[in-house]
Every structure is written in C-alpha cells, then in structure tokens.
Amino acid sequence: MNKFSVILGNVGQCSDRYMTGGYGRPFELEEMFERVASIGVKAVEYVGNWHISDKTLNQVLRLTKQYGLRSVAIIPDHFGSDVWGKGAFTSPDAKVKQLAVRETLHMAELARAIDCPLISIWNGQDGYDYPLQANYADADKWLTEGITKCCEDAPDMKFSLEYKPKEPRNHSFLSNVWRSLTLISESGVQNLGVTIDVGHSFEAYEDVAEAAVAAMKRGKLFHLHMNDNWKFWDDDMIAGSIHTIEYIELFWWLKHFGYTGYISTDQYPYREDGKCAVEQSIKWMQAFERAAANIDDKRMLAILAKNDAVESTAYMREILFGC
C-alpha cells in the first residue's frame, strides 16, 4: 500500500493573476491542518516560509502531534519572493545564489526539528524567457554547484529535484527527468534524487511512467506529486481526472519496482473547495492502487515483451470494466 500525503496549502485558498485576492476565504494554519486530517491521510508537506518557518515551528510541532500527522517534505520558497526574480541558484547576482543555498540549508534545519526527511526543491525562477538572455553554460555550472553544496552541507538529509519545463519562466533550466538525472550524476552526491510531479511530466510531454522507471532504475525516485492537466499548462487539477490510463500505468510500475516513498497531492483547486478536491485525488489514487494490484504481473510483462498495444488496451478495458 502506498503512503499518501497532502501539501498543506492544497486545502487552503488559491489565487491567480486575475483573482489576486483569491478564490474563497483564506484559512489559518490550524484550519488547514484540521482539513488535511479530516481527509484521512497521515502525512503532510509544507512550502517553506508559507507554512513552516522559525515563527511557526512550534505551532507546526503542536499541530502535527495533535492530528497525528507525519511531516514528509519541505519545499523551499525559491519562487515566491522578488529576490528570486532573475533566478535562485542561477541568479546572475552572486549574493542571491548564496542566499538560495542558505535558504535551502535553513529549511533543512527546520526539517530536522520536525523529523522531516526530505527537502524537495522546485526552483521555478531558474530559467529564461528570451533568446540570448541567459548564459546557458554558466547557469548549468551554477545550478549543479548550488544543489551539490546543499547536499554536501546537509548529508543527513535527502534532497530531490522537482523539474518542470516552464512557468514561471518560459524555459526552465531543470526541465525534464533526464536533465534532473544528469545533474544528479554530475553532482556525485548520494542524497540527491528526483521528485516527479505528474503534471510537470505531462507538460514536458513525458510518459510519466517512463520517467518514474528512469528514476527508479537508478534508485533516485525520492518523492511524487500528484495532479492532472491538459498537457499545455500546469493546471494542477484532481489527480486522474484527465489521464486515467497513464495513472494506472504509473501505479503498476511503482508496484513493480516496489516504490516505498510518499505520494503527495499538489493541486490548485481555484474554484473547487480545496479539501473536497484533495479528497477526490486521494480516492482516485487509492482506486489506481487497486487497479494496479489487479494487474497480473506475468501477463502484463508478456504483453510488454511483445510490444502489443492492442492486447494491452484490451487488458486495460478488462481491468477497468470487466469486459
């Protein structure tokens, strides 16, 4: 059975550049913890400085104990402050690059305090928007050096790279699973892996199961974020609401490789009630888990060995509808 968790802000208020005041009312930290616990999951994930900081540390410790929740990951905020406007690890300003490392290591300190094992890095501002805007060679060097230093200075923690092809920059330097695995290999550190966000993988026109297998074969799939989209943008919709077959394929390969890490929801339910939307994602993932468990491994591997799309499609119909 997989272990599910929720990024705390998923059950709160969401805003966009058109509805800057947010869709619905804001929620206090304690309310969001209560909403996560009411869904029935046993773990929670945070965005640094949004939910977990020096100021809120004691409150987070109290609330996780009160609701019996495990803290599974912190996402440092390398994207939501104007200091990161031209990049974090790849900023042309040396002081900003140093700040990105310090901020990441500070999140590691907070993670230790709440017994949280993972820092999941989404460096969304590290990228470029125009031709002849960025020095690609320098950016590649700075990104690898910065991430590597974080891992070396906190060897007791796990760090993972959450890639994404675009947004907020038109092009992200960490754009797909292969770029992430290359950086991991070049870093030479053992405590660095990948967070696969399913929506980011779809947006990168990956088969998310193939991406997961690439990471798992190398022992580098550290974490997963679940949502769905139409592949043009990171819509952060209810998991499985669009790409049902791809999700079944992903969960079967997770079972096949024995993935034991956490699987978090990562959604932006703008117009839906956040708690209800996240609860639907959890129920969909539990359904995918059951569907994957019903797949006969020998039969599936035999189909794959023949590279037979007709037979695999028929088998999926049988699994889903019994016909």
Side-chain angles (χ1 to χ4, degrees):
M1 298 290 287
N2 290 293
K3 299 176 291 187
F4 299 117
S5 57
V6 173
I7 296 178
L8 191 60
N10 288 183
V11 298
Q13 180 199 54
C14 294
S15 61
D16 60 26
R17 62 179 177 149
Y18 302 103
M19 193 75 72
T20 56
Y23 294 83
R25 70 173 181 87
F27 291 84
E28 297 296 326
L29 195 65
E30 185 151 359
E31 289 182 286
M32 289 192 285
F33 271 95
E34 188 280 327
R35 283 160 71 83
V36 168
S38 72
I39 294 168
V41 298
K42 299 298 183 183
V44 66
E45 183 173 345
Y46 315 97
V47 176
N49 296 327
W50 295 20
H51 314 124
I52 179 76
S53 64
D54 293 330
K55 183 178 179 181
T56 64
L57 175 60
N58 289 334
Q59 188 180 14
V60 167
L61 284 168
R62 175 179 63 81
L63 290 168
T64 51
K65 183 177 180 181
Q66 177 180 337
Y67 290 107
L69 295 170
R70 173 150 189 213
S71 299
V72 300
I74 297 176
I75 305 165
D77 179 9
H78 292 314
F79 44 85
S81 171
D82 60 0
V83 71
W84 314 120
K86 290 193 174 182
F89 295 101
T90 65
S91 170
D93 187 333
K95 292 181 179 179
V96 174
K97 287 194 288 285
Q98 294 165 5
L99 179 62
V101 172
R102 289 201 306 271
E103 181 66 17
T104 306
L105 291 172
H106 182 54
M107 289 302 115
E109 292 177 7
L110 294 177
R112 292 186 192 99
I114 59 173
D115 194 27
C116 174
L118 179 68
I119 303 298
S120 185
I121 298 171
W122 176 55
N123 51 319
Q125 299 288 358
D126 283 323
Y128 61 98
D129 303 307
Y130 292 90
L132 297 173
Q133 179 182 19
N135 186 319
Y136 310 124
D138 283 349
D140 180 63
K141 175 176 177 287
W142 294 335
L143 184 58
T144 302
E145 286 178 346
I147 298 292
T148 301
K149 181 166 178 54
C150 293
C151 295
E152 289 176 340
D153 287 2
D156 58 316
M157 295 294 298
K158 281 189 172 183
F159 296 82
S160 62
L161 304 175
E162 182 178 350
Y163 62 88
K164 185 178 182 180
K166 62 181 180 180
E167 193 205 18
R169 306 306 293 264
N170 289 329
H171 292 273
S172 300
F173 288 130
L174 202 64
S175 56
N176 57 53
V177 71
W178 297 108
R179 176 67 185 92
S180 304
L181 292 171
T182 298
L183 191 156
I184 290 165
S185 177
E186 291 177 348
S187 74
V189 295
Q190 298 303 308
N191 56 332
L192 182 61
V194 177
T195 293
I196 292 182
D197 181 297
V198 172
H200 297 181
S201 183
F202 287 153
E203 189 184 351
Y205 202 66
E206 294 178 338
D207 183 307
V208 66
E210 181 193 5
V213 168
M216 287 189 288
K217 276 191 65 181
R218 294 159 176 80
K220 292 300 181 182
L221 183 59
F222 284 5
H223 196 43
L224 284 157
H225 284 168
M226 297 292 179
N227 51 67
D228 218 330
N229 63 37
W230 294 96
K231 289 193 174 181
F232 297 107
W233 200 257
D234 186 29
D235 301 309
D236 278 337
M237 298 162 71
I238 293 169
S241 56
I242 309 294
H243 296 286
T244 303
I245 298 296
E246 289 98 322
Y247 258 104
I248 294 173
E249 181 188 28
L250 171 62
F251 272 78
W252 181 75
W253 279 108
L254 294 176
K255 180 188 76 166
H256 183 74
F257 273 89
Y259 176 76
T260 58
Y262 274 88
I263 300 174
S264 286
T265 65
D266 186 356
Q267 296 173 229
Y268 254 66
Y270 296 105
R271 298 163 187 84
E272 295 73 37
D273 178 86
K275 184 182 81 71
C276 296
V278 167
E279 187 171 26
Q280 285 303 309
S281 282
I282 297 295
K283 290 181 181 297
W284 269 104
M285 289 190 288
Q286 291 168 338
F288 293 138
E289 190 176 51
R290 290 192 296 271
N294 288 334
I295 294 174
D296 181 271
D297 291 351
K298 289 183 178 180
R299 181 176 173 184
M300 190 72 253
L301 288 170
I303 292 171
L304 297 178
K306 293 186 291 183
N307 203 220
D308 191 335
V310 173
E311 190 173 345
S312 74
T313 301
Y315 192 24
M316 284 301 98
R317 187 178 66 253
E318 180 183 326
I319 291 293
L320 286 169
F321 305 112
C323 62

